[in-house]
Amino acid sequence: MDPACSPKRRRVGDPGAVCVERPGTKFPEVMLFVRESKMGSSRRAMISALARDKGFGVADSFSTSVTHVVAERNQPKDVWSWLKNVSAKCGLEVLPEVLDISWLTDCMESGCRLPVEDRHRLKEESEEEVCTRSSSIPIYACQRKTPVNHLNRHFTDALEDLAEGAAFSESNGRALAFRRAASVLKSLPFRVARMEQLQGVPCLGKHSLGIIQELLDLGVCKEVEKIRSIEMNRVMKVFMSVWGVGLKTAARWYRDGLRSLSEVRASPSVKLTRMQQAGFEYHTDLARPVSHVEADTIAGAIRALVPNSFIAITGGFRRGKDVGHDVDLLLTHPDEGGEVGLLCKLLQYLDEQGCVMFQDYRDNTYKGTNAAGLNESKSTMDHFERCFTILRLPLCPRVTSREDDKVTGRHEVNEAATSHYTTHPKKKIPETRERAVRVDFVVCPSSQYAFALLGWTGSQQFERDLRRYASQEKAMSLSSHHLFDKQQNTFLRANTEEEIFAHLGLPYLEPSFRNA
Ligand code: UTP
Ligand code: MN
């Protein structure tokens, strides 16, 4: 009974729902599918005919256009296992409502489309199962698996926009609460379709639950739409899209009456930092996402320049993201102390080739054993030697996903770029087909490598929770430099990330699950 599937379609009232008009039906947003199982073919035909008569669209076979599945005397788990099977074959993104026939008979009796009530729904699992599963979701992001591609983007986008709006109005507590709510939804192994599924899920306050409920009921949420449309928020976002412009600067420009980037540039009272000047100059290039192929290319080229050292791509790319806003590189040397002077040499070399369009170098300020000051520091900034740069690159072919590697020839691209840096050291990169890319270099001694790697892999929310977990649950202080046990009054050594997780008594989480 698998029909040829029509294009993907979302359920009515769902995120981004597209209302497919069905001329000739009284309820164009509804497409029923009546399940034959237990009902028999003649009763199914009769009910379908009656429903059509009352103005409902009824599909003969299941397809992605079905919005409501109706069944009689079926075990919920049977219907759900059938539904998951057929919708997977169709590539259906959001599952339809699964209802007992009583909803349809009620509708037909009253002659209108009645709202779906809880009692009509055939639930995917018992309340008890939901509670057991939900209450097992831990409160810290570092205890949850959060993949890059999660199932609740519609809700998390909304909550993150609210978090951003709260941050813009300096309500940091509220911003954090929305971020935590979004983060826990990202870790759920199921798409939220009903509020009962969220019973016992931690980090969801009343406010966030209300937002989710409205999104489930209406597909949109008034408060979220309002936050998105507030002029200050929109303008702040534009200002903060310039590299080097943070919340405080953006708010100041807004308070000064500036409303666009051209107004900022034209304003005689605005004094830009060096970083902001570069941010404006290369704004178009830097706004373009960096692909993982470009990141690999850069890392490959840099590795070829400092062959005895070790260079890791960290940040979002290490977590499996396909695109990022920059490339984060962590440099170290197998011998403790061998890393000293490495970055300066590397930068000088790149500069000689005309590859460095901007650099902001900061020397190492780590004071070694003076743990107390670092431990109590609220700042996530570490003290490594680093350089924020904008590098000029040969433009890579546009690549949108890892699948495309085969097509574009990832290795070819890598080799081409590497040889460009290495075999023509004095040759400037030609002006055509080039772009500016943000590259951050961080240098650490090998004894701190595991901590630096963990710290620079992110995500920010994951790191935040990992440090909170260390401090609140283990009386330890974690930074990108070290792990300090406050009870034992000692530093705990680690050569690998696995060892750090083990010190904290946490199961190891692969980078690809740290996208909290
Ligand atoms: P990014 O801001 O580059 O984040 O910092 P990202 O996750 O890679 O995002 P995209 O893909 O570029 O947009 C990378 C990680 O480095 C850490 C943070 O934990 C962050 O998640 N970091 C960043 C620090 O530890 N210290 C810093 O000063 C900056
Ligand atoms: Mn990054």
Side-chain angles (χ1 to χ4, degrees):
M1 167 157 77
D2 285 326
C5 287
S6 52
K8 278 183 194 174
R9 172 182 191 289
R10 287 163 182 266
R11 197 177 75 208
V12 175
D14 256 328
V18 187
C19 185
V20 179
E21 286 294 327
R22 296 184 185 84
T25 62
K26 193 167 156 194
F27 312 107
E29 71 286 7
V30 177
M31 177 55 79
L32 301 174
F33 177 75
V34 183
R35 236 191 138 210
E36 192 176 304
S37 168
K38 297 263 163 75
M39 185 185 278
S41 59
S42 48
R43 181 162 160 76
R44 177 181 188 245
M46 184 194 76
I47 286 176
S48 300
L50 271 175
R52 286 193 183 107
D53 208 40
K54 294 284 181 187
F56 286 95
V58 184
D60 287 325
S61 53
F62 185 82
S63 79
T64 51
S65 62
V66 169
T67 58
H68 296 66
V69 170
V70 178
E72 188 170 44
R73 286 180 293 112
N74 276 202
Q75 286 293 333
K77 68 173 174 12
D78 295 341
V79 189
W80 277 97
S81 98
W82 160 82
L83 180 61
K84 282 183 177 165
N85 193 5
V86 289
S87 36
K89 282 185 188 156
C90 292
L92 187 61
E93 271 185 12
V94 180
L95 299 181
E97 290 273 18
V98 179
L99 304 173
D100 182 73
I101 186 101
S102 60
W103 172 75
L104 182 57
T105 49
D106 286 357
C107 287
M108 292 196 292
E109 242 170 56
S110 66
C112 55
R113 180 199 162 193
L114 295 173
V116 171
E117 288 171 34
D118 217 36
R119 66 189 166 89
H120 296 126
R121 290 194 173 99
L122 298 181
K123 307 227 170 84
E124 190 175 357
E125 51 195 356
S126 70
E127 298 283 301
E128 201 180 58
E129 276 169 325
V130 170
C131 287
T132 320
R133 187 186 57 195
S134 301
S135 60
S136 68
I137 297 171
I139 59 168
Y140 293 98
C142 54
Q143 299 170 295
R144 307 189 291 251
K145 287 184 178 179
T146 313
V148 181
N149 297 312
H150 62 85
L151 301 168
N152 290 294
R153 191 154 308 276
H154 183 59
F155 304 106
T156 58
D157 282 352
L159 291 165
E160 282 176 344
D161 282 354
L162 290 177
E164 190 181 58
F168 287 166
S169 28
E170 292 176 44
S171 308
N172 293 336
R174 258 163 31 97
L176 194 57
F178 285 131
R179 288 220 170 86
R180 288 211 178 117
S183 170
V184 80
L185 293 185
K186 290 180 190 177
S187 75
L188 297 181
F190 54 91
R191 191 185 309 274
V192 175
R194 299 179 304 281
M195 291 306 286
E196 310 88 78
Q197 292 173 301
L198 296 176
Q199 272 171 25
V201 174
C203 314
L204 295 174
K206 247 196 195 151
H207 198 156
S208 297
L209 284 169
I211 304 292
I212 299 167
Q213 170 93 66
E214 200 173 324
L215 289 169
L216 278 173
D217 290 346
L218 307 170
V220 286
C221 169
K222 254 202 211 134
E223 188 181 342
V224 177
E225 294 311 309
K226 190 174 158 214
I227 286 279
R228 286 174 180 162
S229 67
I230 290 174
E231 193 204 18
M232 182 183 87
N233 292 354
R234 284 190 293 121
V235 173
M236 293 273 287
K237 255 175 122 91
V238 173
F239 288 168
M240 287 169 71
S241 73
V242 177
W243 185 43
V245 178
L247 212 143
K248 283 199 178 119
T249 306
R252 192 175 60 240
W253 290 348
Y254 189 84
R255 271 199 311 276
D256 291 348
L258 303 171
R259 294 293 179 266
S260 67
L261 294 181
S262 47
E263 282 178 20
V264 173
R265 295 196 87 157
S267 165
S269 64
V270 169
K271 295 275 169 288
L272 297 177
T273 63
R274 230 167 48 80
M275 196 179 261
Q276 290 162 353
Q277 280 172 25
F280 269 103
E281 190 174 343
Y282 304 112
H283 188 252
T284 315
D285 264 12
L286 300 189
R288 226 185 92 193
V290 185
S291 74
H292 71 95
V293 172
E294 284 170 319
D296 288 350
T297 304
I298 293 162
I302 303 288
R303 278 184 195 120
L305 292 178
V306 277
N308 297 324
S309 57
F310 188 76
I311 293 164
I313 301 183
T314 63
F317 290 115
R318 184 157 184 260
R319 303 196 306 273
K321 281 174 63 176
D322 265 339
V323 291
H325 85 283
D326 65 358
V327 182
D328 305 292
L329 296 178
L330 177 62
L331 280 70
T332 193
H333 194 278
D335 307 325
E336 189 83 357
E339 77 284 356
V340 175
L342 202 71
L343 182 55
C344 291
K345 247 189 274 165
L346 175 64
L347 288 167
Q348 193 188 346
Y349 196 73
L350 288 171
D351 199 27
E352 278 166 13
Q353 293 180 72
C355 295
V356 183
M357 300 161 99
F358 174 88
Q359 58 172 301
D360 178 359
Y361 175 85
R362 306 196 182 171
D363 208 347
N364 182 358
T365 55
Y366 184 58
K367 299 286 181 285
T369 52
N370 177 20
L374 295 170
N375 290 343
E376 304 314 323
S377 166
K378 289 273 180 285
S379 161
T380 55
M381 285 294 274
D382 48 61
H383 301 255
F384 293 120
E385 177 190 13
R386 71 180 61 191
C387 194
F388 302 113
T389 68
I390 298 177
L391 296 188
R392 183 198 301 266
L393 295 180
L395 197 64
C396 286
R398 196 182 64 83
V399 173
T400 50
S401 81
R402 292 183 189 270
E403 290 312 304
D404 292 347
D405 285 351
K406 292 170 207 124
V407 184
T408 52
R410 191 175 186 175
H411 298 293
E412 260 172 52
V413 173
N414 264 338
E415 278 158 25
T418 306
S419 68
H420 195 102
Y421 281 99
T422 51
T423 59
H424 311 288
K426 294 291 166 207
K427 189 174 149 192
K428 298 252 170 177
I429 291 175
E431 294 300 311
T432 53
R433 295 183 75 240
E434 65 182 25
R435 71 165 292 192
V437 174
R438 282 262 304 105
V439 181
D440 284 349
F441 295 95
V442 184
V443 185
C444 72
S446 65
S447 60
Q448 293 174 23
Y449 179 72
F451 298 101
L453 184 64
L454 180 60
W456 274 84
T457 296
S459 68
Q460 239 185 53
Q461 191 61 29
F462 172 88
E463 299 297 332
R464 205 178 268 148
D465 269 16
L466 191 63
R467 283 164 204 212
R468 203 161 58 96
Y469 178 87
S471 148
Q472 295 186 357
E473 306 295 326
K474 299 283 161 183
M476 291 181 188
S477 160
L478 176 70
S479 76
S480 291
H481 296 278
H482 59 237
L483 180 63
F484 183 73
D485 186 327
K486 293 180 193 169
Q487 281 167 331
Q488 309 287 328
N489 207 26
T490 59
F491 289 96
L492 303 175
R493 301 179 70 85
N495 290 319
T496 61
E497 287 179 316
E498 282 89 337
E499 286 173 32
I500 303 175
F501 278 84
H503 283 317
L504 291 167
L506 285 171
Y508 178 66
L509 260 194
E510 295 284 345
S512 60
F513 287 131
R514 299 184 204 158
N515 288 286

